[in-house]
Amino acid sequence: MAGQTRRTILRGGAVTAAAVPLAQVAAPPGEASVQGPVSVRPGDPRYPSMVRRGYNRRFEGRPEEIHVVRSTADVVRAVDGAVRSGRRLAVRSGGHCFEDFVDAPDVRVVIDLCEMAAVRYDRRRRAFEVEAGATLGEMYRRLYVGWGVTVPAGTAGSVGVGGHVSGGGYGALCRLHGLSVDHLYAVEVVVVGRSGRARSVVATRERTDPHRDLWWAHTGGGGGNFGVVTRYWFRSPGGGTLPAPPATVLDFTLSWPWERLDREAFVRLVRNYGEWGERNSAPGSPACALYGEFLLSTRAAGHLTLNGQVAAAGGAARLLDDLTAALGRGVGVRPARQASTLPWLTAAVHGLDDAPGPSYHVKIKSGYQRRRFTDRQAAVLHRHLTRSDYGHPGGSVFVNTYGGQVNAVRPGATATAHRDSIFKVGFITGWEDAAEEARHLAWLRELYRDVYAGSGGVPAGGAFINYPDGDLADPALNGSGVPWHALYYKDGYARLQQVKRRWDPREVFRHALSVRPS
């Protein structure tokens, strides 16, 4: 998508955290080629590149070993070695985690899946197999070029499939086709039982599968909770193939200059967007072909922008016209509009200006909305986005369309519990100087608390586990009385705990927001 996005706002200069494919890394002296797994340790020239694959510069671990694996058997051996030596381990696929789940100081072993990126058709399972180290962009390209199908998933091509899917997986086609996990047939996971030995298990959605609970836990139960996901298999419910995306999409940006928006106009604009979502988010609505990300940036950024795509074979321009007209009612400011028709694959892989790993320190918070922001909440947003003591362009709130086919699935069918929401909201800021962390965190926490003051400072609709926020597990920062796990999983948490007790009884796989066995 053209124009300003939350990623361009947070973008630094040179991208130093990008993943380095092993094929481009010189083999160690005496090795002509690399065929199996590689262990990278401090002192190895490859170590800085691999340890800085994470998205967020707030956290940078110093593991003793990074195992770059190429197969499930490699993962089993790496997990076994970490468990035998008593060292804490973590797993990385795309590296986009916003918290320190991988880069915590006490993580001694990292299993890096970047070389496990195959995409193929499994005739025995009649499903498309995607290794967990593939990026969304790689998955889109290979599924579409090979078979003309796709998995509805995120709009950032460099995000890894592994963590994205386990948290639910949503993006530009979710209003039409549901979440990624609504098409998840099976998952392969390396787990550790009571004996302390690692093994791989394939769990499917078949009712007769004795491992079905492990499949269910990976339909929104979050990454890093139960084991190392190595492969997913996708096929749509009812035994069908995957959805075919449209040949083209209408890619658009609407932009409003801050200098022409007073408080009343801002509140009306946010209200109009919310009311449009309330009218146009029922499953089967023609408007579900339209996906939007409304970026409410601080005044210092200069503009508010709505980036999106319309995935309709016909009538795409009319849907965008209807949205533009609805947003303009009573605002008094006409947005600048850019729109172009793009091949679907181009939009899916390159649609957002998506840096593989910015050089910014980042903090994110989230909320699900069953209805629009109230006018009171919109006024709170305006106050914080225009504060004279926080003139930083990296601070913003993004309000993304949701609902549609997502809400056609009953909550208990998957571990994704928030099946009645029409918007997914992110509160985010990014900064370059580590010494400024306290100031930026204070602004974001105050904004979040004040927006949700009516429900104790946390969103009544819950929060999104793939935008993890350690504040919610801190009693000093979450005084709402609503535990973090209820915000992320609602009533499904007890069921996730049962899965945890069965498949990870030793809590080998843990982090600040991991499912607790008891």
Side-chain angles (χ1 to χ4, degrees), residues 18-102:
V20 179
L22 286 194
Q24 299 175 14
V25 178
E31 292 187 24
S33 62
V34 177
Q35 298 295 331
V38 172
S39 291
V40 179
R41 300 176 177 85
D44 189 308
R46 296 169 292 185
Y47 186 82
S49 294
M50 300 309 297
V51 82
R52 293 198 69 192
R53 277 224 306 127
Y55 179 86
N56 192 351
R57 293 280 68 77
R58 282 183 69 204
F59 311 109
E60 186 170 317
R62 299 295 297 175
E64 296 168 359
E65 291 182 281
I66 302 171
H67 294 291
V68 185
V69 293
R70 291 174 176 265
S71 68
T72 301
D74 292 345
V75 176
V76 171
R77 285 189 288 268
V79 172
D80 259 339
V83 172
R84 281 198 308 270
S85 62
R87 293 177 295 170
R88 184 181 167 194
L89 65 87
V91 60
R92 172 172 283 149
S93 54
H96 278 250
C97 186
F98 286 102
E99 288 284 4
D100 65 347
F101 295 177
V102 178

Side-chain angles (χ1 to χ4, degrees), residues 275-433:
E275 289 178 343
W276 182 91
E278 290 176 344
R279 294 192 304 270
N280 292 285
S281 295
S285 167
C288 286
L290 191 152
Y291 171 78
E293 299 185 350
F294 199 3
L295 187 68
L296 309 175
S297 306
T298 60
R299 187 185 290 276
H303 292 79
L304 308 180
T305 55
L306 175 58
N307 299 282
Q309 293 175 0
V310 188
R318 179 181 55 78
L319 286 172
L320 180 56
D321 289 342
D322 290 347
L323 171 65
T324 306
L327 292 173
R329 293 190 183 103
V331 175
V333 180
R334 183 184 297 273
R337 173 169 158 170
Q338 294 179 303
S340 59
T341 299
L342 297 176
W344 172 80
L345 185 60
T346 300
V349 176
H350 302 294
L352 284 174
D353 190 3
D354 173 42
S359 53
Y360 272 62
H361 300 71
V362 180
K363 176 63 178 177
I364 196 169
K365 304 171 87 66
S366 69
Y368 284 99
Q369 296 286 134
R370 294 190 289 267
R371 298 195 62 191
R372 68 175 178 88
F373 280 129
T374 66
D375 287 357
R376 183 204 70 81
Q377 290 175 311
V380 170
L381 289 169
H382 181 270
R383 175 164 58 85
H384 283 283
L385 293 172
T386 59
R387 279 170 51 171
S388 60
D389 64 339
Y390 192 75
H392 183 68
S396 64
V397 178
F398 57 89
V399 188
N400 295 353
T401 54
Y402 202 62
Q405 193 60 29
V406 174
N407 295 355
V409 177
R410 63 180 179 84
T414 66
T416 303
H418 309 86
R419 294 289 187 164
D420 55 357
S421 303
I422 61 172
F423 292 110
K424 186 170 285 187
V425 184
F427 302 76
I428 191 168
T429 188
W431 61 96
E432 292 181 277
D433 186 352

